Amino acid sequence: MAEKRLSTVNLVAKLACEAVKEVVEGTTGSRIRYAPTIQRIPMVSLKPELGAFVEFTGDYSGLFCMNFSGAAALEIYRRAMQFMGLPEEELAREYTSDEVINFLGETVNQIIGAMRRKIEAQFGLTARNSQPRAIAINQTITLLLNTMIDRPQCRRLSFRTQENAPFYVELGLEQTEFIPLETPEETDVEDILSQFS
């Protein structure tokens, strides 16, 4: 049975999923799970309780957003700090604290960097990103890029921390398709002639 070819936005979402798992597990020393389903959504939004977003542009352009429940934000921050050896009594206790917000902004920066490296390794395409912004919010904020106004391709990925707290990635990509160039096999004349001798 032939393997189903993923559309470009779904391929990028899959690479984003791998990047999130690698970075979060690597910085926290804990396990995270993700749903085996990519959701198609109409647009990218920051949602309560803590959101972080970053724009990327270059050979391809789009918007990357992570939404954390307060419990997920605090758990990821605290596990990462304890994994680095900080004592529990010195750690923030509220997801709205500057320490948690700044840490998750930097985590998103590492994730988008890992995703971009995966895309470059697989497709030879590069992009750069702005500095991620993380904010604690109490209502949904819709984000839109000029490149996405016409026909945005948006996806949502669902994750759970080790303690089962939810967090999400929302990804918006300009209307694009990555099509690998097929390189014709080099023809060796000597090989062809030897077949007839």
Side-chain angles (χ1 to χ4, degrees), residues 61-150:
S61 299
L63 187 61
F64 182 89
C65 175
M66 288 189 75
N67 293 305
F68 300 88
S69 64
L74 200 56
E75 180 186 342
I76 291 169
Y77 157 80
R78 291 177 68 83
R79 283 184 182 274
M81 295 301 110
Q82 289 175 317
F83 191 60
M84 290 190 302
L86 271 67
E88 186 174 349
E89 60 272 8
E90 292 182 15
L91 303 181
R93 301 198 178 281
E94 299 293 327
Y95 76 87
T96 53
S97 71
D98 287 343
E99 294 94 332
V100 176
I101 292 169
N102 293 338
F103 171 78
L104 288 173
E106 178 51 35
T107 300
V108 170
N109 193 38
Q110 292 175 29
I111 290 167
I112 191 73
M115 183 188 88
R116 287 178 21 242
R117 285 189 297 278
K118 287 174 179 292
I119 292 169
E120 184 172 1
Q122 187 166 340
F123 299 102
L125 300 172
T126 61
R128 63 190 178 287
N129 57 271
S130 58
Q131 185 64 33
R133 305 282 183 251
I135 55 173
I137 55 175
N138 57 15
Q139 63 185 20
T140 299
I141 301 169
T142 300
L143 304 172
L144 202 57
L145 289 176
N146 287 336
T147 59
M148 295 166 50
I149 289 175
D150 193 18

Side-chain angles (χ1 to χ4, degrees), residues 145-162:
L145 289 176
N146 287 336
T147 59
M148 295 166 50
I149 289 175
D150 193 18
R151 290 184 306 158
Q153 302 179 87
C154 302
R155 299 294 185 264
R156 179 184 298 128
L157 307 165
S158 301
F159 297 84
R160 295 281 171 165
T161 65
Q162 189 163 301

Side-chain angles (χ1 to χ4, degrees), residues 1 21 23 26 29 47 180 188:
M1 187 165 142
K21 187 168 175 58
V23 170
K47 294 187 173 67
D188 187 340

